[in-house]
């Protein structure tokens, strides 16, 4: 087991490297990534940041490529097997923006690249999932933009739950402060509609920590955007992820 390795054994085991780009105002991506990789001792994660913070987005309808490309260039210095953008904006502005960003990163670095949202597209297609329940920490406008985007991408969002005034979420950083019992409540709400999967979006939202227990409780797969960033990177390098299933849910049960 990964947790039984000595320090020397854990160091020696890490033979595959993934480079992770995370939003600068994010406190969730690194923690979830390292938590998942505890069960995959052969894989080591290395992080770089790009400016995403505060309550407003200076480029709401696109990615400002300069930041991610600068972060990717730094990651390329340690020659990872893959670089992943672990952000969820593509689920609001359109999946094609993520495909273009991954292509730009790969062109700039010569390293394979992917994203959390490209992982979402791949997983849903591989598992034949089109009817989803959507959970986010967004306010009304952000949630509606996300639902509209997902509908445009071909998904039937049959139930949703998002931030309410009582949650007191004011900016990107605050999304990480949503208590796990509140997230579980939101998942149960959309689960009552019996979607094929519950999709939690926002990579500064700690919903991934609840995937396994909520799946056990509701019998519905939970597909979280932060965990998807890790999944997408691991899938790109053909890593066996199955040891992560007990703690992190059925997402890691297969590759695509």
């Amino acid at each position: 087991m990964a947790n039984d390795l000595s320090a020397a054994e854990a160091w020696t085991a890490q033979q595959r490297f993934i480079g992770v780009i995370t939003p600068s105002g994010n406190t969730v991506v690194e923690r979830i990534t390292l938590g998942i990789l505890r069960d995959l001792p052969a894989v080591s994660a290395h992080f770089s940041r790009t400016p995403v913070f505060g309550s407003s987005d200076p480029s709401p309808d696109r990615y400002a490529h300069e930041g991610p490309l600068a972060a990717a260039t730094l990651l390329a210095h340690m020659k990872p097997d893959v670089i992943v953008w672990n952000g969820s904006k593509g689920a609001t502005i359109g999946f094609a923006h993520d495909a273009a960003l991954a292509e730009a990163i790969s062109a700039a670095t010569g390293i394979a690249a992917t994203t959390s949202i490209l992982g979402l597209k791949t997983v849903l297609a591989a598992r034949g999932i089109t009817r989803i329940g959507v959970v986010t920490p967004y306010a009304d406008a952000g949630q509606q933009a996300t639902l509209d985007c997902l509908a445009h991408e071909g998904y039937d969002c049959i139930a949703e739950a998002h931030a309410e005034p009582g949650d007191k979420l004011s900016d990107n950083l605050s999304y990480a402060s949503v208590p796990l019992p509140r997230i579980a409540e939101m998942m149960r709400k959309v689960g009552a509609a019996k979607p094929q999967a519950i999709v939690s979006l926002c990579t500064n939202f700690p919903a991934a920590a609840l995937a396994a227990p909520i799946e056990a409780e509701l019998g519905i797969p939970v597909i979280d955007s932060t965990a998807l960033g890790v999944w997408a990177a691991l899938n790109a390098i053909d890593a066996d992820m199955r040891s992560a299933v007990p703690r992190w849910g059925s997402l890691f049960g297969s590759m695509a």
Side-chain angles (χ1 to χ4, degrees):
M1 295 294 291
N3 293 336
D4 295 331
L5 297 178
S6 69
E9 289 169 333
W11 170 266
T12 304
Q14 293 177 328
Q15 298 294 322
R16 308 299 303 276
F17 298 159
I18 61 174
V20 182
I21 303 172
T22 180
S24 59
N26 191 299
T27 63
V28 170
V29 165
E30 286 105 336
R31 294 158 71 190
I32 294 297
T33 301
L34 294 175
I36 293 167
L37 295 185
R38 285 179 61 194
D39 296 308
L40 281 81
V43 183
S44 175
H46 305 268
F47 302 95
S48 191
R49 288 178 174 253
T50 187
V52 181
F53 59 95
S55 58
S56 62
D57 185 345
S59 55
D61 301 319
R62 64 179 182 87
Y63 284 121
H65 278 202
E66 298 82 2
L69 289 178
T73 298
L74 294 176
L75 286 169
H77 295 168
M78 43 76 63
K79 300 188 183 304
D81 297 288
V82 64
I83 295 174
V84 58
W85 158 238
N86 202 337
S88 55
K89 184 175 178 178
T92 299
I93 63 174
F95 292 8
H97 291 275
D98 272 60
L101 178 61
E103 289 172 5
I105 290 171
S106 186
T109 64
I111 296 167
T114 187
T115 77
S116 172
I117 298 306
L118 293 179
L120 175 65
K121 181 178 180 179
T122 299
V123 167
L124 295 181
R127 301 183 186 187
I129 295 171
T130 57
R131 295 172 64 256
I132 60 176
V134 178
V135 174
T136 81
Y138 303 148
D140 291 348
Q143 182 75 344
Q144 190 59 55
T146 298
L147 296 176
D148 290 346
C149 176
L150 292 171
H152 179 76
E153 297 289 346
Y155 304 106
D156 183 10
C157 302
I158 65 170
E160 63 86 19
H162 64 288
E164 298 175 356
D167 293 316
K168 299 180 179 178
L169 304 179
S170 59
D171 60 14
N172 182 272
L173 180 60
S174 67
Y175 298 156
S177 68
V178 181
L180 294 184
R182 172 70 177 120
I183 300 174
E185 173 188 320
M186 297 165 79
M187 290 181 171
R188 293 184 184 108
K189 176 184 175 182
V190 302
K194 303 299 182 184
Q196 290 176 282
I198 296 170
V199 176
S200 56
L201 293 168
C202 177
T203 64
N204 206 26
F205 185 51
L210 291 175
I214 289 293
E215 287 183 344
E217 176 184 338
L218 302 182
I220 300 170
V222 174
I223 300 174
D224 172 74
S225 57
T226 313
L228 276 163
V230 187
W231 181 92
L234 295 172
N235 185 64
I237 64 173
D238 296 322
D240 186 343
M241 320 174 205
R242 290 173 293 179
S243 59
V245 170
R247 279 196 286 204
W248 299 97
S250 63
L251 171 64
F252 295 95
S254 62
M255 295 188 294

